[in-house]
Amino acid sequence: MENTSVTLTLAGEPVHISLIALLSSDRYTWRTRRHCNAEYELHIILSGSCVMEVEDKAYPLPSGTAVVVAPNCFHNARQVSTSFERLSISLTIGKDGHMADLLYRLSASPIFQLTETQLEVCRQLLREIDNTDLYQTELIHACLTTLIVTILRMVKRHPISDDLPWIRENYLPYNIIDMFFSSWPAPIGTEQDLARLLHLSRRQLNRILQQHYGMSFREKSIRARMDYAAWLLRTTHHRIDDISSMVNYTTESSFYSAFKKYFGMTPKKYRDLYSENK
């Protein structure tokens, strides 16, 4: 079983937890493209090391550390070492309550060190996933509860942000939407393509996008393209006209116009400014 999902109730608050890449080869590497998700993600490095880039910041992650990625934050991993192993968890929570408060606070300083006890809980969880004995489900729930609660206890209380995204209980459509907008280098597709994929009308699709992301399809599409273009300008030596095509603009002039409107400067100025600040 490569993906295990459970729903727990912590202090009266429901939280849906998906365990990702437990038994597949992805558990020992990290090959995902730069993307964003609608849920909180918790990535724990059990052995080896890597570098996680979240938005425009790069974080080195040695063994024993974890990173929390907030909803709608573009991220990817690189420089994965040999003898690497990770545990990745997505958390679907409600808008209000202690968990929303604490996860929001934690994501503001996303890198933290786990205790040896917490790391052993992670290892026990992985061992139990491979187990088929009686009470397997109960032990998995117990490990997850212990891990999440002890991490949240490490965080000081912080006021809840009014614009904290609402993560709905029916999370599957949002996973599909996130994949649709981060499917680079393939074309991003059209609004009608996504509506057809989800078996929704365009009106229903836009209502979901507004509720979940606070954006229209066009706004979400532009944000995905601009983030990827900025990342390419920062991390590669691709020509700007090539980058324009890579983010699915038909002409270089239309890309220049969109980029300048979004970032307040031309792509060349953005690349030059980033190079100066390195």
Side-chain angles (χ1 to χ4, degrees):
M1 179 164 44
E2 294 187 359
N3 188 303
T4 298
S5 299
V6 299
T7 299
L8 303 176
T9 301
L10 304 178
E13 300 177 30
V15 52
H16 188 91
I17 302 175
S18 291
L19 299 168
I20 310 163
L22 288 176
L23 301 180
S24 68
S25 59
D26 285 344
R27 173 174 157 188
Y28 303 103
T29 186
W30 218 337
R31 288 191 290 262
T32 56
R33 296 184 180 125
R34 186 169 172 81
H35 65 287
C36 68
N37 292 315
E39 301 83 25
Y40 278 96
E41 289 185 2
L42 171 64
H43 300 287
I44 298 168
I45 310 304
L46 297 175
S47 64
S49 63
C50 69
V51 174
M52 168 71 87
E53 186 173 280
V54 182
E55 297 292 348
D56 61 346
K57 295 182 180 179
Y59 300 97
L61 298 179
S63 177
T65 58
V67 57
V68 171
V69 181
N72 297 319
C73 284
F74 283 87
H75 59 282
N76 68 293
R78 52 187 175 85
Q79 299 179 22
V80 178
S81 71
T82 57
S83 303
F84 178 80
E85 185 178 18
R86 67 183 169 106
L87 173 62
S88 295
I89 298 174
S90 71
L91 301 166
T92 304
I93 62 173
K95 178 181 178 180
D96 301 313
H98 295 302
M99 184 166 293
D101 182 354
L102 294 172
L103 283 175
Y104 179 75
R105 175 68 181 93
L106 187 58
S107 65
S109 300
I111 310 301
F112 60 97
Q113 182 76 39
L114 271 70
T115 66
E116 186 53 45
T117 300
Q118 289 169 324
L119 292 171
E120 180 53 38
V121 170
C122 294
R123 299 184 188 106
Q124 182 183 354
L125 176 60
L126 292 175
R127 290 194 297 269
E128 199 56 45
I129 291 294
D130 294 331
N131 197 354
T132 58
D133 289 346
L134 195 63
Y135 305 122
Q136 177 202 32
T137 300
E138 286 80 2
L139 283 170
I140 289 173
H141 284 210
C143 288
L144 283 171
T145 300
T146 300
L147 179 62
I148 300 302
V149 168
T150 56
I151 288 174
L152 293 177
R153 276 188 167 184
M154 296 164 58
V155 189
K156 293 180 180 180
R157 295 298 300 273
H158 187 283
I160 299 175
S161 170
D162 291 337
D163 61 357
L164 192 66
W166 175 25
I167 309 303
R168 292 164 52 126
E169 292 181 1
N170 185 14
Y171 68 98
L172 180 59
Y174 306 114
N175 286 349
I176 294 175
I177 292 170
D178 291 331
M179 291 171 62
F180 186 85
F181 282 106
S182 58
S183 58
W184 308 107
I188 201 168
T190 67
E191 183 178 4
Q192 190 60 44
D193 292 335
L194 181 55
R196 188 182 302 112
L197 183 65
L198 293 172
H199 304 288
L200 298 172
S201 69
R202 293 173 65 181
R203 181 188 294 271
Q204 289 172 318
L205 171 63
N206 274 289
R207 185 166 66 247
I208 289 174
L209 290 171
Q210 284 292 345
Q211 287 177 335
H212 200 57
Y213 300 102
M215 305 180 202
S216 66
F217 179 91
R218 182 174 181 277
E219 291 168 330
K220 179 73 171 166
S221 174
I222 290 173
R223 183 170 190 259
R225 294 181 188 192
M226 291 297 102
D227 179 89
Y228 188 56
W231 181 73
L232 289 170
L233 288 166
R234 294 195 307 269
T235 62
T236 75
H237 296 289
H238 291 307
R239 289 158 48 98
I240 293 176
D241 58 340
D242 291 333
I243 291 175
S244 171
S245 299
M246 292 169 71
V247 295
N248 211 27
Y249 279 87
T250 55
T251 66
E252 188 177 354
S253 62
S254 61
F255 169 65
Y256 261 81
S257 177
F259 193 94
K260 186 173 182 180
K261 182 176 181 181
Y262 193 87
F263 287 103
M265 65 184 77
T266 65
K268 184 180 184 306
K269 178 65 176 176
Y270 181 93
R271 173 173 271 172
D272 293 343
L273 189 62
Y274 183 80
S275 298
E276 292 171 3
N277 292 331
K278 270 189 173 182

